[in-house]
Every structure is written in C-alpha cells, then in structure tokens.
Amino acid sequence: MPGPLLVVTIDRLPAWILPAYGATWVATPCIDRLAARGVVFDGAVCESDDPRDVVRGLLAWAARRPAAMAVVTDDPAVPKGVCHGDVTVVASSPPQQPAADEPSTNLGRLFAAAAAVVGQRRHEVVWCHASSLGTSWDAPAELREAYVDPDDPPPPAGAAAPDLSVTPDTDPDLVVGLRHVFAGQVTLLDRCLGRVVDAAGDGWTILVVGVRGMPLGLHGRLGPGPLPPYSELVRLPAILVDAAGRMAGQRYAGLVTASDLGETLAETVAQAATPPHEPWRGRSLASLFREWTATSRDRVIVTGSLGVAVVTSAWHLIRLPHDEEPLLRLFAKPDDCFDLCDVADRCPGVVEALRSVAEAAAAGDHPRAWTMPLGAGAESAD
C-alpha cells in the first residue's frame, strides 16, 4: 500500500450547508482546506437512506483485501459486517444541555479518539464514523449562538437533535432557530475533524464523505425522521485528498455513488484489483488522477424507506407511494437545488422518460433500473 488512508464518514451531513458546496453563512475552515487540497465531488448521491448500505458500498474493497485497519465510531452497529479491523467504540451520551466546552461534546470525544489512533501510525487504514449529528446537538453556547443575528430569537433550549413535522402552523422562529443550532453543530464538527487531519499530517490520503443529509424543514420534516429521497437527504458532500497532491483544488461534476468512491480508493490507494461490477456496484474514478477525466454515470437510483428517486445530471424524479397510484415529482437540476419547484406537470415528456426507470426501481429490479434506456429528454434540461 503506497501510503496510509483516513476515511471519515459523517451521517446526517448534507452538502448544501458547506462552503465548499456554495454555502456562504457557515464556517468550516478545515473542510475548506481539504477542498483546496483535493477534489470535490459535486454529484455525490447516496443510493439508500440506510447508513449501513452506504458505508458497505464505500468500504467493500477493504473486505476483499484485509489490511491493518482501525475503526473508531460512535455507532457500533454501522461497522458490523462491513470490514475487518480493530474497533474502538466511543459511546455517545444523550445530552441534556449544551456542553461546557468542545472536548466534552460527543463529537469532541469521538474525534479525539480518532486523532489518537491516527497518531499511533500503526494502521494502514483508519476509518472514523460519526453518527451524532443525528442525535446530539450539544455544541457549546458560543457555537450555538454564532449564527444568531441580534434581532433573532435565542436558540431553542435543549441539546438533543429535534425530530418534528413542519406544517404551515409551525412557528417559523423555531425552524430558523433550529437551523442556526445545526449550523453551530456543523462548525463544531469541522473543528473536531481538524484535530484528526492535523494528527495525520502529510502523506495521508483523506476521504471525507457524508452518509445521509439532514432534513431541515423544506419538505415537512426537521430532524432525522423519515423523509422521501429529496436532495436535502440524498445529496452528499465528498472530498478526496490525494497524498501526492493530484487533482488538488479541482471539482468533478459527474454523478458519483459511495461505491464509486470505494472502488476509486481500492485502485488508487489500496492497489486492490477491481473486479467487474454491475452498474449499481460501483466503478472506479481513478482515471481522474491519471488522465484528469472520468466517464460519468447517466443516473443514480435511490431506494429509500419512503420512495425511490431517479437522479440524472439534469433531473431528480421522486416516486412516492400513494393509495391509488404513485405520485411522481420532478425537479430540474442544478437550478432547483432544494427541490422546491415541482415541474412534473410542465415536463410530461421527461416524466414519461423516467417513469419506467422509477417503476423498475420500486419493484426491486435493479438491473433494469440501472441499465434500461432513460428515454428522450431525460438526460438534458433543454
């Protein structure tokens, strides 16, 4: 293996809240530095809203090629059956109130343990998995209040991650306040991540990737409760820093799955043979680091607990179960980043072009959903 690898998977971290993905109001200097050192994948999409499915695709290569691997996690259920290695579980405690300081937070304890493992220099691969963004918003008061304007109400009390339905009757101040608290939690995450990155120093390949996004009220749900596969749930951040500095400061716009990122690691870092796969199993993007280009997917199929989605470079179609017949909603990309303008009634041709793909996905027919022709108009918004 040419050098050590650090993989950081973060459940409930959406792409849209990060400056590397266009946000202008949340501070994440560590992630910004990683973006400047590596390649940012703009089209990363999770194929499932089950985090175990996502990390299994990301680390399938590790099971094929056992290595000296360490796992540091706050959720012992996630690594089971994914890969081999020394597992350190840093238990998360349900917080009653914000922590007094960063080391006392759940994220602080987790990443301190990960930094210690990285600093030992005993493992070829260190995987750190964080799940507490979906359970604990315990950032200290100064971070919770960092995004509150003078005219805004104070942050809502409590430190447990909320889970509420958002209706027209929901107090908008509550929604805004919880978004501010989440932003503070993301800044805390960034600071804690920085300690692990500093412990690694130079010579490490680093992948930081989200596992699921966090609904923040745009589609009737605020918090980690169930949500159909809208972009705020399935569009993920993914940044890959090559130890040799290749592709530094670049962006890749093509559609990418966690399995694709995993196969890329297998070829570029682990130097493991990549067996031929069906389209839904992952394809390596290692050519980005050799030829500065890679063949892009034409679709990603998302199978969620509340529906399926067909994601192309130009469209995001969601199929929602319904009593009489499924509901189909269509959103134009990249303009409608948050899936707020359903254009299904204005683009019936696109809906028909993607309907059969969505139906195959809903029926569990992966070969057809991933390989059947998309139909005219489905690949372009023109």
Side-chain angles (χ1 to χ4, degrees), residues 34-331:
L34 291 174
R37 292 170 52 192
V39 54
V40 175
F41 293 91
D42 287 316
V45 180
C46 65
E47 303 161 76
S48 168
D49 55 11
D50 186 334
R52 293 168 296 182
D53 293 338
V54 178
V55 299
R56 190 176 296 114
L58 181 65
L59 292 165
W61 59 271
R64 300 199 305 268
R65 182 186 182 278
M69 184 173 188
V71 181
V72 184
T73 180
D74 56 8
D75 185 351
V78 171
K80 285 184 178 179
V82 174
C83 55
H84 310 285
D86 301 326
V87 179
T88 299
V89 177
V90 182
S92 294
S93 57
Q96 301 300 317
Q97 58 186 5
D101 52 33
E102 292 177 29
S104 302
T105 64
N106 285 317
L107 286 170
R109 291 192 298 272
L110 173 69
F111 282 102
V117 171
V118 167
Q120 293 171 0
R121 300 294 196 273
R122 293 195 300 109
H123 300 89
E124 295 178 354
V125 180
V126 177
W127 170 30
C128 177
H129 176 76
S131 66
S132 67
L133 275 183
T135 60
S136 171
W137 292 2
D138 60 350
E142 64 268 22
L143 291 180
R144 291 172 63 92
E145 298 167 359
Y147 299 101
V148 180
D149 291 332
D151 295 333
D152 289 334
D163 187 13
L164 67 144
S165 296
V166 178
T167 71
D169 296 327
T170 303
D171 183 357
D173 286 344
L174 175 62
V175 174
V176 171
L178 289 171
R179 290 173 179 169
H180 289 162
V181 172
F182 183 68
Q185 196 71 20
V186 170
T187 297
L188 169 68
L189 166 73
D190 183 82
R191 291 185 181 182
C192 297
L193 174 64
R195 292 177 174 82
V196 183
V197 173
D198 290 344
D202 297 329
W204 286 64
T205 295
I206 301 174
L207 173 66
V208 176
V209 59
V211 177
R212 288 178 296 185
M214 171 65 78
L216 289 179
L218 296 179
H219 298 284
R221 171 68 60 179
L222 197 155
L227 186 79
Y230 289 101
S231 291
E232 62 175 336
L233 179 65
V234 305
R235 287 279 184 171
L236 306 174
I239 300 172
L240 178 57
V241 178
D242 177 63
R246 296 174 297 176
M247 286 293 286
Q250 302 301 309
R251 309 187 77 93
Y252 178 70
L255 294 173
V256 172
T257 69
S259 299
D260 296 336
L261 296 173
E263 295 304 330
T264 303
L265 294 178
E267 184 173 347
T268 61
V269 179
Q271 295 185 335
T274 301
H277 281 322
E278 300 89 346
W280 58 92
R281 298 296 187 189
R283 62 180 67 179
S284 173
L285 300 170
S287 61
L288 283 175
F289 301 100
R290 300 188 304 264
E291 305 161 7
W292 306 97
T293 187
T295 301
S296 179
R297 290 181 173 276
D298 66 350
R299 80 199 75 181
V300 172
I301 306 299
V302 183
T303 305
S305 56
L306 294 183
V308 301
V310 181
V311 181
T312 74
S313 60
W315 304 102
H316 187 122
L317 179 83
I318 298 177
R319 180 188 184 275
L320 302 174
H322 194 263
D323 293 338
E324 297 181 358
E325 63 179 84
L327 300 177
L328 298 177
R329 295 177 178 172
L330 181 69
F331 307 96

